[in-house]
Structure formats: C-alpha cells, structure tokens
Amino acid sequence: MSELNSYRTGPDENGHFGIFGGRFVAETLMPLILDLEHNYKAAQQDPTFYAELDDLAKHYTGRPSPLYFAERLTEHCGGAKIYFKRDELNHTGSHKINNCLGQIQLARRMGKTRIIAETGAGQHGVATATVAARFGLPCVVYMGAKDIERQAPNVFRMKLLGAEVVPVTSGAGTLKDAMNEALRDWVTNVDETFYIIGTAAGPHPYPQLVRDFQSVIGRETKEQMQEREGRLPDTLVACIGGGSNAIGLFHPFLDDPTVNIIGVEAGGHGLETGEHSASLAGGAPGVLHGNRTYLLQDEDGQIEEGHSISAGLDYPGIGPEHAWLKETGRVQYVDATDSQALDAFQLCTKLEGIIPALEPSHALSHVLRIAPDLPSDHLLVMNMCGRGDKDVFSVAEHLGVKLV
Amino acid sequence: MTTRIDTRFADLKKEGRAAFIAFVTAGDPDFETSLEILKGLPDAGTDLIEIGMPFTDPMAEGPPIQASYLRALEAGQTMKKTLDLVRAFRKGNEATPIILMGYYNPVYHYGVEKFLSDAKTAGVDGFIIVDLPAEEDEEMCLPALEAGLNFIRLATPTTDEHRLPAVLKNTSGFVYYVSVKGITGAAAANTGDVSDAVARIKAQTTLPVAVGFGIKTPQNAAAIAAHADGAVVGSAIVDCIKDNLDETGAPTADLVPTVLEFVKSLADGVRSARQAPAAD
C-alpha cells in the first residue's frame, strides 16, 4: 500500500486517478467535456448552485436518508453492529437521484435543452426521466433491448414520466451498448444536448462530478454516526457496478485510516465460470467509454459482456477512481455471487422488513460473511442504495415462483 | 521523415487532383475475402487505404461499420491477423499508403510500443485512433511519431478556432476533417460548409486535408474532392460488402468484383472533380 498524504485530492487536472481516468473521447465530444468541466468549476464556486441543490435534496429527494440500526440482522449475525444507510428511501427508490439532480442543474446552468441518458436496470433511467419531468426538459433514455425485456416496470415508469425509451439492439443489447448509443446520440446532437451519465465513470469530469454529487451519502453517514455512536464507523460496505453509490459512501472517509472500506462486485455465477461482472477481480486495465479503468476483455482487447443477476451491476467496467483505490490498496474489493445475493435478499426481507434491491443484496451478502467474526462494538455501515420493488419479478423467477 | 502518405499526397498535388481514400474493415467478411478486396483497391483507383481494426464497442461508428466490425470479429479477426493482412498486401504493393483506423483499447491491450513496432514492420504508415484526442497525445501519438509513423488527427465541426492549434500540433500525414456532427454513415454534409471548414483548417496548416463521414456516392465524392485534398468513403463500401453476402453471411462470388466496381465509380468521381480548373 502506497503512503499518500490524502486519497481525496484526485483527479488531477487531466482527470487522472493514478493511471486511470482521462479523456478518451472522439474529437467531436472533446470541446463539450471541456465546456462541462469549465461550467462545473464555475458552479462549484457558486453558493446558489449548492443552495438550490440542497433544497431539492431535502424537499424533493427526502434527504437526509436515515442511518438505520438493523437490530435483528445484527442479532442474527451475533457480531458487528450493522447499520444501513437508507438511500433506498430516496424519491425514485435509489441513490441515482442524487446525481441526476446535480447534473440536470448543471445542464440548466449551461442552457442545454435536451437530456439523454443510458440505463441498465432502469434505475438511472427512471431518475433521469424524473428530473427531466421536474424541470420540463425532453429526455431520451437508451436501454439495451434485453434489459427492456427484463425491466418492463421501469420502462413503463420512464414512459409515464414523459421520456422516450430507445431500445438498443447493437452489440449485445445491454448496458454497455446503451452507453455506446448514448455517446453516438451526443456526438450527433452536440449543441443542445446534456448527457447525464449514471455512474462514476466516463470521460473526465464525469467520474468526479458523479462522485461529488453522490458524496452526500458519506457526509451524512459521518454526521449521523457521530450523533448515534459518537465516533467514526469501523467498516463501510457497498456494492459496485460502475461504483457510484460506493464512491459516494467511501469518499468522505478515505482519509480516515481507521475506517476499513470494502467494495463488493457482482460475482455472477462465480469468478471461476467467467460469467460475472467483477471487473477488478476478473478484468484488466483498458480504455472504454472515455476512461482508462479495469475492464472485462478478451486476449485481443475486445470487451466482454458482464453477467449478474442484477441488471444494475451488469457492466464490464468500473469507475476509474475505484480502479485507483484498488491499486493503492486503500479499498478492499471482494465479490458476491448471484445466489449469495439472492439469499441475502430474502434474509433481509424477513428479518428487517426491508426489501433490498438485488444490487445492495450483494453488499449485504458480504456483510453477512464478515459480521459474525467482528466484535459487538464494531460499527459496520452498509449502503442500502436501492429498494427491491423493481426486482420482485426477477426474484420470483429465480425462486421458481410464478406470478399471475 | 517522409512516409508513403507524404509521398502520395505530394504526387497527387502535382497531378492537381484530390486523393480517393477507401475504408474497409480488416477481416470483413473474412480474412481471405478482405485480402482480395484490399489487393484490388489500388487498381480500382484508391490512392490511400484505411483499414478498420475491428472493435466490439466503436462509439463513433454508425450501424454499417458497427456491423462490419462484428462480422470481422465473428470470422475470427484479431489485431495480429490485421497486421498479417497488411503484410500480405505489402507483398504485392509497396506504394499505396495504409492507415490503420480504430479504437484505443485493442492497441493498448496489445502494448503500444510493441504494436507500433509490429505495425511498422508489417508495412503500416499511419494511424487514426478515434478515442485519442490531442489531450491524450502521450498515449500513442507521440510514440508513433517517434517510431516514424504518422498519427492522423480528426478535426470536427466542433473544433473551433481556439482549439484547432492543439488538434493540429502533433498531427502528421494529413488532417482528417469529419464533415458532420455525428457518427459514420450519417447524412451527407453541406458542400459549402465543408469548403469553409477546409479553408479554415488550411489557414493553420500546410498538411493536406481529407474529408470523410457522409460521403456515399460518386457525386458526393466529386463534390467534396473539388474542395479538399482527399475524400474518404467507408460506410457505403462496407454496406456494399454486406449486400453481397448470402443468407448465411458467406461472401457470394460477385462480392469482390461488385465492391471493386463500386470503389472504381467513387474513385472516378474524385478524379472528375477537378477536370474543370480548381476554384482556387
């Protein structure tokens, strides 16, 4: 582990976290991301920008989200004290809204009149369609044709919210292809369009600004834990697809050396089967979607499809800051399989009366793994980043239950 | 250094005409057919050849080139085989410049230094890497220049006066002007706009300026060639390849001659462009 003074100063002026990040985009987009960077810097100096955002967070999203002591799960594990940061209670049901509100406020500041987004499970699509409706901007969401099939309720939600959902059939028809298609739209409609990227990835400054907008999760956690327990938590756990909820929870704690930080990737059918979405554990550094990061790829540098029971983790890459945090050793990355996540999903539902999304069920599965061996005064926080309503149909299918 | 690209443009300048630049994907629809097409391109009037390096996620390509990349990958094309293709082409042709075009990840994964060295040995003259803007010059552009290979930069309608010097700074061989905001295979550009843009770029560089994106017919090619030093056609050619596959995706006997005939019509369009004295 390298000895750094701070883990919180990145990215550098070229958008690099160590060797990761950067601006690997077509020339057509280059002036746009430079303009975005310039406008974001200006917004950061503008108190009214944050005042408006705070107001929306409070009255529209419902922040702060509670820090909840999961008493029965704690009893069940018989070890660490387990807390949930309850971002699943946010408006639209996940942490995605934090980022969408921030980005649409930037879009409005920049005078953009059209919003585009990519989505996998549909959570980011719904959150984007929601903020676009709230501010009266037309919105186009690119979604893989396969995901549209898997996530029909979210597709209908987006349509109700007035968004146009465009099925993507190119490539494998999943999240990475939706992102390619959104980039193609952006290259074509450069003047009026703002691309709201859903995770802490993409060309600089996206990984930074998504992280910044999601860091409200970690800042609140720090305050709330101080209030409840009078100290910092000992362990943080969050699931990782692209990694936006995780970086949001982790970032405010990176320079607190006593806090043990763990990211949980989607292990799919198990790393050994090759069918997973664990880019850090099973991938190699590469360049895709505007940034250098760990990618699932073959020996010729062709991108491979991720697999996960959770469409929200089904991405062959990961945010560049996570790639860097892995290399520096500051954050530990592990994985949980589809079936482990399903077990955690059911246990949490029965013991806590909270139906978690399949994404945080991966994080929870790791919590169940480590909590029993930790002392009872060990404070563990897991980010409950989404609710499971969207997943009940696919869970039923996996459990062999026929609905209707 | 003088590369095949420099020599070819200098010769064409003497002839007083623009270059016709054809794009095909390496290994589309399969290695052998692709090689046969490549070998036929110079006689069909192609002055420079761009060879696409297939990639799963080509974010600036429209459906025709996306599909051609996937056809090639399905037929087993790899980076190594793409260099084999160039090597095989070079056995019969020492003069026609070859530019490899594509995306950075397969090159990065291969190893930049090794790739540059292997590409040079195989007979490659230059590169266009879509997702390496000037901001990332240290990745491959500067090493390529050092290795004596051209790195051709894209300029676009969004590249304004202020940004153009940065884009031109380490460009060599020629400048590739992307005539439309959008992806390959998009609608044709307005000739007047293209002519203005080419003049704008030429005011800042002595390099030749070739124009691509949206050129589909001999007429389009002629219109562009009247105002630029080169016209690039890609999507229309790979679509012609697709149209000559049978229902199993295998090439029909007509494929190679039909493609080369189409290429010839495009090249003739370019050659006809300045029969009338050039406007400037």
Side-chain angles (χ1 to χ4, degrees):
Chain A
M1 180 163 162
S2 61
E3 294 295 326
L4 296 178
N5 291 326
S6 173
Y7 290 93
R8 303 186 61 217
T9 55
D12 68 16
E13 69 278 11
N14 293 314
H16 293 122
F17 301 90
I19 67 158
F20 300 104
R23 290 183 280 224
F24 296 90
V25 295
E27 170 61 20
T28 312
L29 293 181
M30 206 49 229
L32 278 77
I33 63 171
L34 290 174
D35 190 37
L36 174 60
E37 187 184 342
H38 170 78
N39 277 275
Y40 180 50
K41 277 189 185 146
Q44 285 177 299
Q45 303 304 317
D46 180 357
T48 62
F49 178 77
Y50 288 103
E52 281 177 29
L53 211 53
D54 288 349
D55 189 70
L56 285 163
K58 183 171 178 188
H59 300 289
Y60 193 64
T61 307
R63 300 209 74 91
S65 69
L67 183 68
Y68 165 77
F69 173 48
E71 195 178 349
R72 295 195 64 214
L73 262 176
T74 299
E75 253 172 52
H76 173 86
C77 291
K81 262 181 116 169
I82 302 168
Y83 282 90
F84 292 163
K85 177 59 175 166
R86 299 205 51 195
D87 256 53
E88 101 279 13
L89 293 176
N90 293 340
H91 179 42
T92 75
S94 79
H95 68 290
K96 294 289 187 188
I97 190 88
N98 304 329
N99 167 48
C100 289
L101 281 170
Q103 288 201 45
I104 203 161
Q105 287 293 66
L106 271 179
R108 294 174 68 225
R109 240 185 115 87
M110 293 171 72
K112 301 291 180 181
T113 55
R114 175 176 179 266
I115 300 296
I116 59 170
E118 85 293 340
T119 197
Q123 291 306 91
H124 175 59
V126 167
T128 305
T130 298
V131 299
R134 167 65 184 77
F135 290 103
L137 295 177
C139 174
V140 177
V141 179
Y142 290 92
M143 188 167 182
K146 270 186 213 157
D147 288 335
I148 286 184
E149 236 170 78
R150 295 197 277 188
Q151 304 287 338
N154 271 344
V155 174
F156 185 56
R157 268 179 208 119
M158 287 184 266
K159 288 182 178 166
L160 284 173
L161 289 159
E164 182 192 345
V165 182
V166 180
V168 175
T169 52
S170 63
T174 57
L175 177 55
K176 82 173 172 73
D177 306 292
M179 197 149 177
N180 288 330
E181 216 51 42
L183 285 164
R184 289 175 187 131
D185 178 312
W186 202 24
V187 167
T188 309
N189 303 291
V190 291
D191 297 320
E192 71 282 10
T193 300
F194 190 100
Y195 179 14
I196 298 188
I197 293 185
T199 193
H204 179 62
Y206 279 103
Q208 179 190 0
L209 66 92
V210 174
R211 174 199 73 198
D212 291 350
F213 292 138
Q214 292 295 2
S215 290
V216 65
I217 300 171
R219 286 197 306 272
E220 285 177 7
T221 302
K222 216 170 194 178
E223 261 175 47
Q224 290 165 324
M225 192 55 99
Q226 191 64 38
E227 248 168 59
R228 288 197 72 139
E229 301 273 1
R231 65 180 182 92
L232 289 170
D234 298 302
T235 296
L236 304 175
V237 183
C239 65
I240 302 202
S244 71
N245 91 82
I247 202 70
L249 175 66
F250 297 170
H251 195 258
F253 292 97
L254 290 176
D255 286 342
D256 297 307
T258 61
V259 181
N260 179 32
I261 305 180
I262 306 170
V264 185
E265 294 192 284
H269 296 317
L271 294 190
E272 68 288 353
T273 66
E275 290 184 22
H276 59 82
S277 292
S279 322
L280 289 176
V287 173
L288 180 72
H289 294 151
N291 61 154
R292 173 160 31 223
T293 187
Y294 275 79
L295 299 172
L296 300 180
Q297 53 188 321
D298 69 12
E299 66 284 356
D300 200 43
Q302 306 296 338
I303 307 304
E304 293 184 315
E305 285 299 317
H307 164 81
S308 169
I309 188 173
S310 146
L313 301 180
D314 207 346
Y315 179 68
I318 184 163
E321 195 164 8
H322 286 294
W324 177 73
L325 288 169
K326 172 199 160 84
E327 298 234 321
T328 59
R330 176 62 187 98
V331 176
Q332 180 197 354
Y333 293 89
V334 299
D335 70 275
T337 63
D338 288 355
S339 64
Q340 290 167 338
L342 259 181
D343 291 346
F345 174 97
Q346 294 175 82
L347 189 69
C348 182
T349 304
K350 285 191 180 127
L351 288 184
E352 293 293 345
I354 295 171
I355 304 180
L358 283 170
E359 290 81 7
S361 297
H362 287 73
L364 187 60
S365 157
H366 190 67
V367 169
L368 298 173
R369 222 180 282 164
I370 61 173
D373 296 330
L374 294 167
S376 60
D377 60 350
H378 189 100
L379 305 178
L380 192 157
V381 178
M382 188 208 88
N383 197 13
M384 182 61 80
C385 61
R387 68 177 84 126
D389 309 39
K390 68 176 174 63
D391 293 316
V392 291
F393 293 97
S394 57
V395 168
E397 202 183 306
H398 284 284
L399 297 178
V401 177
K402 216 164 169 179
L403 299 178
V404 197
Chain B
M1 82 195 179
T2 303
T3 64
R4 282 191 194 91
I5 298 173
D6 301 327
T7 308
R8 179 55 52 102
F9 273 107
D11 290 348
L12 290 171
K13 194 170 182 184
K14 280 183 214 147
E15 273 184 52
R17 69 170 178 89
F20 172 66
I21 306 172
F23 170 96
V24 289
T25 297
D28 173 26
D30 57 59
F31 187 92
E32 290 307 325
T33 311
S34 171
L35 179 58
E36 226 182 303
I37 294 170
L38 277 179
K39 283 179 171 167
L41 286 177
D43 283 346
T46 304
D47 300 303
L48 293 89
I49 301 173
E50 276 180 22
I51 299 180
M53 298 181 281
F55 182 49
T56 41
D57 294 78
M59 65 180 176
E61 311 301 336
I65 293 179
Q66 288 173 39
S68 92
Y69 278 4
L70 291 182
R71 282 195 298 272
L73 289 173
E74 272 160 33
Q77 191 66 19
T78 61
M79 294 293 279
K80 200 178 151 296
K81 283 188 184 172
T82 296
L83 296 180
D84 291 344
L85 197 65
V86 176
R87 206 172 290 118
F89 172 83
R90 274 282 169 254
K91 279 185 187 151
N93 183 308
E94 261 303 316
T96 306
I98 293 214
I99 298 138
L100 294 182
M101 180 163 186
Y103 292 78
Y104 187 42
N105 195 57
V107 175
Y108 180 71
H109 199 75
Y110 192 104
V112 173
E113 292 299 330
K114 181 166 167 31
F115 185 72
L116 289 173
S117 148
D118 290 357
K120 189 164 187 181
T121 311
V124 171
D125 304 291
F127 304 95
I128 300 172
I129 305 293
V130 178
D131 51 355
L132 284 180
E135 279 70 9
E136 304 289 353
D137 266 359
E138 284 174 20
E139 296 286 336
M140 185 176 171
C141 173
L142 299 180
L145 290 178
E146 214 158 287
L149 293 157
N150 289 130
F151 198 87
I152 294 121
R153 179 84 63 214
L154 305 174
T156 71
T158 60
T159 313
D160 61 17
E161 234 49 59
H162 174 68
R163 183 169 167 74
L164 194 52
V167 169
L168 295 173
K169 190 175 166 209
N170 293 316
T171 303
S172 66
F174 63 96
V175 180
Y176 186 133
Y177 180 65
V178 173
S179 61
V180 292
K181 292 172 188 163
I183 52 180
T184 50
N190 175 306
T191 314
D193 292 348
V194 171
S195 161
D196 291 350
V198 170
R200 199 160 55 86
I201 296 167
K202 281 186 160 291
Q204 294 201 31
T205 181
T206 54
L207 288 172
V209 179
V211 175
F213 283 43
I215 306 173
K216 294 193 181 78
T217 65
Q219 293 73 25
N220 295 154
I224 293 294
H227 301 283
D229 302 311
V232 188
V233 180
S235 297
I237 298 174
V238 302
D239 262 350
C240 183
I241 292 175
K242 182 195 73 185
D243 293 343
N244 286 280
L245 298 172
D246 67 21
E247 54 280 7
T248 67
T252 60
D254 291 340
L255 189 145
V256 176
T258 309
V259 169
L260 293 177
E261 199 177 310
F262 177 58
V263 167
K264 185 166 188 315
S265 72
L266 294 162
D268 288 346
V270 168
R271 281 171 170 75
S272 74
R274 294 201 200 153
Q275 278 170 358
D280 47 340

